[in-house]
């Protein structure tokens, strides 16, 4: 396209007005003659600035996601950017190199998902080439989320929200693509991308700016007619109406979306952390395997000659078993339980040698609180059915703190954070997974909008039990009890200075036990 042609496009008064209105409080950067970006930072203080850039050969215009107090004083210092930033918009960049129809399907599903979160003021525009931008104004965002100023949560909050929405529409997106391609699709994001790697001072193509690869305009669309869009609609000679973009938004309209996205991201981080920890543990096992095996051989040498062969055979055909608490280090009150049958005399002997009797191998792995033991496979299968349990009974519901009881009564918001709290709390209180599953599903049915059952079950799969369980967040942890409105401290909380829900439950349980000991008739 010749420069005079795009100059004619940008010279339309309605397009100049649109560019200027959409540049308010934003960094605005022109690209000259399709190749050279203008200097940064810069902004359009007056419509005349835009006209001047057009005369100098501006072929496209880009502006920041962030809104600034003074765009001309932006630096790359995080501290200064945080002080300068007023707010930021939520923009989801959909790009499909396999064909515009894949981007259309994703954009339609994204709009549907946003509407499920009670968002009414949604905007969409063609990117100018292979996709669409679906966006929500900063006017819809709350001032604070989880005790933090929202304006200071860029770019993380936008990244989290994009990741959350990707996950929410993934299943439907795969199903739609399967129909189009007539084959099974497991990962729809091989066909379309929804940008989630937003960064500071990230720019996007402005409404009605041209794309230098296609010279199509980034036109604003009716969100209910995305499926009817055709690329020729964005040709510069066919633009009849200039629509507004990101002009409307009700206060706190996007609050529900942002809180859920924040919750989802916290759980995903936790899941990924656990997976990485597990990978690290497996690697650590391999590292110490040789040392442990050498030590066991030294132990066998100490045995009477008549017994050595049997144990060497066991060692050579050994499997591995990891215990978080070993018999040699277990606390008083812990007992070994075999649910199926008692071990045979031979198995007990092997078990004593290769598990209970080996203390030096415990020391090798003590820093990881895990112990690697070599056990004959046939014995290992039997021992896998064993578990360590405390003589202390599972803490009952009536000993639960007010915050947990309030959660269990059902919630409107913060349900994913509540799942995180409940799983860690119940695990720390001695509940087994099957019991937790039943309680969580009963609780979920009480919620205003129940979570998907698969979500709860997936979180349970990653939960630890017994002494290895992770306690729930402390009472004063930002983003949890107070923020989801379940912190109602009673006299026991105040009197005992309770700092974690588990402390409340365990102290209540101990209190009842001590009363029974003093007065046996109470039984």
């Amino acid at each position: 396209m010749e420069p005079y042609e795009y100059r004619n496009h940008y010279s339309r008064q309605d397009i100049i007005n649109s560019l200027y209105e959409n540049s308010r409080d934003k960094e605005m950067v022109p690209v000259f003659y399709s190749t050279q970006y203008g200097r940064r930072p810069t902004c359009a203080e007056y419509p005349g600035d835009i006209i001047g850039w057009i005369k100098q050969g501006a072929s496209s215009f880009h502006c920041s996601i962030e809104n600034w107090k003074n765009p001309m004083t932006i630096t790359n210092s995080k501290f200064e950017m945080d002080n300068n930033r007023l707010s930021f918009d939520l923009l989801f960049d959909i790009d499909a190199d396999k064909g515009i129809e894949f981007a259309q399907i994703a954009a339609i599903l994204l709009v549907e998902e946003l509407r499920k979160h009670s968002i009414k003021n949604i905007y969409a525009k063609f990117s100018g080439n292979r996709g669409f931008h679906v966006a929500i104004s900063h006017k819809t965002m709350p001032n604070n989320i989880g005790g933090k100023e929202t304006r200071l949560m860029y770019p993380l909050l936008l990244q989290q929200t994009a990741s959350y929405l990707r996950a929410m529409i993934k299943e439907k997106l795969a199903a739609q693509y399967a129909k189009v391609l007539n084959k099974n699709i497991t990962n729809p994001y091989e066909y379309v991308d929804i940008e989630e790697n937003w960064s500071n001072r990230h720019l996007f193509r402005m409404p009605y700016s041209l794309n230098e690869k296609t010279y199509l305009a980034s036109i604003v669309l009716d969100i209910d007619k995305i499926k009817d869009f055709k690329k020729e609609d964005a040709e510069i000679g066919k633009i009849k109406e200039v629509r507004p973009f990101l002009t409307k938004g009700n206060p706190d309209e996007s609050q529900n979306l942002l809180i859920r996205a924040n919750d989802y991201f916290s759980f995903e981080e936790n899941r990924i952390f656990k997976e990485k920890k597990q990978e690290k543990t497996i690697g650590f096992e391999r590292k110490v395997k040789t040392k442990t095996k050498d030590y066991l051989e030294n132990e066998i040498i100490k045995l009477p000659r008549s017994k050595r062969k049997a144990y060497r055979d066991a060692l050579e055909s050994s499997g591995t078993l990891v215990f978080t608490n070993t018999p040699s280090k277990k606390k008083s009150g812990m007992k070994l339980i075999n649910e199926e049958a008692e071990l045979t005399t031979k198995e007990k002997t092997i078990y004593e040698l290769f598990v209970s009797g080996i203390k030096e191998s415990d020391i090798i792995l003590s820093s990881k609180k895990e112990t690697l033991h070599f056990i004959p496979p046939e014995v290992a299968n039997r021992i896998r059915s064993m578990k360590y349990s405390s003589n202390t009974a599972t803490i009952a519901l009536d000993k639960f703190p007010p915050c947990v009881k309030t959660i269990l009564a059902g919630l409107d918001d913060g349900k994913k954070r509540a799942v995180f709290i409940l799983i860690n709390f119940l695990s720390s209180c001695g509940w087994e997974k099957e019991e937790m599953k039943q309680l969580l599903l009963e609780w979920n049915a009480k919620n205003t909008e129940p979570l998907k059952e698969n979500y709860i079950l997936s979180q349970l799969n990653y939960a630890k039990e017994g002494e290895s369980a992770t306690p729930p967040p402390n009472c004063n942890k930002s983003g949890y009890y107070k923020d989801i409105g379940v912190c109602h401290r009673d006299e026991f909380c105040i009197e005992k200075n309770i700092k974690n829900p588990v402390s409340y439950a365990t102290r209540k349980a101990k209190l009842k036990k001590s009363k029974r000991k003093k007065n046996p008739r109470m039984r």
Side-chain angles (χ1 to χ4, degrees):
M1 180 176 283
E2 295 297 325
Y4 78 87
E5 293 179 89
Y6 53 73
R7 271 200 295 269
N8 288 341
H9 167 72
Y10 290 125
S11 295
R12 284 178 51 170
Q13 190 59 49
D14 53 357
I15 289 178
I16 291 174
N17 292 342
S18 173
L19 290 168
Y20 179 66
E21 289 302 320
N22 283 292
S23 74
R24 296 289 187 94
D25 297 325
K26 293 182 179 291
E27 185 178 8
M28 181 178 179
V29 183
V31 174
F32 296 102
Y33 296 106
S34 307
T35 56
Q36 185 181 351
Y37 270 82
R39 66 179 180 84
R40 297 183 68 182
T42 190
C43 67
E45 296 187 55
Y46 306 100
D49 294 330
I50 298 172
I51 294 169
W53 289 329
I54 294 167
K55 289 178 178 178
Q56 292 172 40
S59 53
S60 66
F61 296 93
H62 304 259
C63 69
S64 59
I65 292 288
E66 298 152 280
N67 301 300
W68 307 98
K69 296 174 186 174
N70 186 348
M72 294 300 292
T73 62
I74 302 170
T75 69
N76 287 326
S77 159
K78 184 181 184 306
F79 175 78
E80 291 184 12
M81 280 192 287
D82 285 347
N83 281 336
N84 198 350
R85 189 184 302 110
L86 290 168
S87 58
F88 58 92
D89 299 307
L90 296 171
L91 187 139
F92 309 106
D93 186 357
I94 302 166
D95 185 75
D97 57 5
K98 306 287 186 184
I100 192 70
E101 64 271 20
F102 292 100
Q104 280 174 300
I105 293 168
I108 291 165
L109 290 177
L110 201 59
V111 169
E112 287 177 2
E113 188 63 33
L114 292 173
R115 282 174 166 163
K116 286 180 186 177
H117 290 76
S118 304
I119 299 174
K120 297 177 181 178
N121 294 292
I122 305 167
Y123 294 85
K125 67 182 185 70
F126 174 51
S127 68
N129 189 6
R130 305 182 305 192
F132 300 91
H133 296 157
V134 176
I136 310 167
S137 170
H138 65 276
K139 297 172 185 176
T140 67
M141 297 167 72
N143 292 326
N144 295 277
I145 294 175
K148 293 182 181 179
E149 281 190 77
T150 310
R151 69 180 185 87
L152 301 179
M153 296 176 74
Y154 182 86
L156 181 60
L157 187 58
L158 180 50
Q159 293 168 351
Q160 289 175 341
T161 309
S163 297
Y164 169 71
L165 290 170
R166 281 170 63 101
M168 291 302 101
I169 69 170
K170 183 178 180 180
E171 193 174 319
K172 289 183 179 178
L173 197 58
Q176 295 266 16
Y177 288 173
K179 288 180 182 178
V180 172
L181 298 167
N182 197 26
K183 67 177 183 177
N184 186 44
I185 303 296
T186 54
N187 181 17
Y189 295 113
E190 292 177 358
Y191 299 87
V192 70
D193 183 45
I194 301 176
E195 177 68 64
E196 51 187 342
N197 296 318
W198 294 92
S199 57
N200 288 308
R201 299 184 68 188
H202 196 113
L203 302 177
F204 71 96
R205 192 176 307 280
M206 295 184 71
Y208 300 98
S209 170
L210 298 178
N211 183 303
E212 286 90 350
K213 292 180 181 178
T214 62
Y215 285 101
L216 297 175
S218 184
I219 63 172
V220 180
L221 307 172
D222 181 334
I223 59 171
D224 294 316
K225 296 181 179 178
I226 295 174
K227 65 180 179 181
D228 300 324
F229 171 79
K230 295 180 180 61
K231 280 192 173 184
E232 49 264 35
D233 297 339
E235 293 175 3
I236 59 175
K238 294 183 179 179
I239 301 170
K240 297 178 181 178
E241 179 186 6
V242 173
R243 296 172 179 270
F245 190 70
L246 295 177
T247 54
K248 294 181 180 179
N250 298 322
D252 296 338
E253 188 179 347
S254 61
Q255 180 170 339
N256 184 36
L257 168 69
L258 298 176
I259 289 175
R260 289 193 179 195
N262 196 32
D263 289 347
Y264 174 83
F265 198 80
S266 298
F267 279 111
E268 281 297 289
E269 273 192 327
N270 191 43
R271 180 184 65 79
I272 292 166
F273 170 76
K274 287 180 178 178
E275 285 180 353
K276 285 183 178 178
K277 188 176 180 182
Q278 188 177 12
E279 288 173 10
K280 193 175 180 181
T281 299
I282 292 168
F284 190 74
E285 283 181 26
R286 289 171 183 161
K287 201 172 184 179
V288 300
K289 184 173 182 178
T290 305
K291 287 185 179 179
T292 310
K293 199 167 184 177
D294 289 345
Y295 172 76
L296 293 175
E297 176 59 35
N298 290 333
E299 288 292 302
I300 291 170
I301 291 172
K302 297 175 187 176
L303 296 172
R305 192 180 296 273
S306 60
K307 292 184 178 180
R308 291 177 192 173
K309 186 178 185 306
Y311 287 121
R312 282 201 178 100
D313 290 344
L315 183 59
E316 287 304 314
S317 62
S318 64
T320 61
L321 187 64
V322 177
F323 286 104
T324 51
N325 294 290
T326 65
S328 58
K329 290 190 173 184
K330 66 185 180 183
K331 298 179 181 178
S332 59
M334 300 293 284
K335 58 182 180 179
L336 187 65
I337 299 173
N338 184 350
E339 294 176 330
E340 294 179 1
E342 291 296 320
L343 290 175
T344 65
T345 304
K346 181 181 178 182
E347 286 171 339
K348 279 184 180 178
T349 306
I350 295 173
Y351 181 82
E352 286 300 318
L353 174 68
F354 289 113
V355 181
S356 299
I358 300 170
K359 294 181 180 179
E360 189 169 321
S361 62
D362 293 351
I363 296 167
I364 293 172
L365 295 172
S366 60
S367 62
K368 296 291 176 182
K369 296 184 179 179
E370 291 165 347
T371 305
L372 182 74
H373 297 290
F374 287 78
I375 301 168
E378 66 275 11
V379 181
N381 291 334
R382 302 287 298 277
I383 295 174
R384 281 193 180 94
S385 67
M386 299 175 186
K387 60 184 178 181
Y388 292 97
S389 69
S390 173
N391 288 332
T392 305
T394 300
I395 297 175
L397 287 164
D398 61 334
K399 307 297 183 301
F400 288 5
C403 56
V404 175
K405 288 180 179 178
T406 303
I407 289 172
L408 290 173
L411 297 176
D412 294 327
D413 294 312
K415 291 182 283 292
K416 288 185 178 176
R417 279 174 286 182
V419 171
F420 180 74
I421 292 166
L422 288 174
I423 288 176
N424 288 323
F425 173 79
L426 294 170
S427 299
S428 301
C429 288
W431 285 54
E432 294 188 5
K433 284 190 178 178
E434 196 56 39
E435 296 173 310
M436 288 193 277
K437 175 183 171 182
Q438 185 179 345
L439 183 65
L440 284 164
L441 294 179
E442 288 173 2
W443 161 75
N444 192 38
K446 299 175 188 176
N447 293 326
T448 307
E449 291 181 30
L451 298 167
K452 290 182 179 179
E453 186 174 318
N454 286 342
Y455 176 81
I456 293 174
L457 298 181
S458 68
Q459 297 305 315
L460 270 172
N461 287 338
Y462 290 104
K464 291 185 177 181
E465 297 176 282
E467 289 198 353
S468 61
T470 305
N474 284 340
C475 301
N476 61 357
K477 178 73 173 177
S478 175
Y480 287 92
Y481 313 96
K482 290 182 180 178
D483 289 335
I484 63 176
V486 299
C487 183
H488 307 296
R489 290 167 66 83
D490 61 11
E491 290 182 7
F492 192 80
C493 289
I494 298 166
E495 180 187 341
K496 301 296 182 183
N497 191 25
I498 299 296
K499 295 183 179 179
N500 189 285
V502 175
S503 300
Y504 184 105
T506 52
R507 287 193 181 191
K508 275 275 187 179
K510 285 178 184 177
L511 190 64
K512 188 170 182 179
K513 277 188 177 180
S514 63
K515 285 180 180 179
R516 281 181 176 176
K517 286 179 181 179
K518 288 178 184 178
N519 187 3
R521 290 181 183 179
M522 289 177 68
R523 298 182 186 180

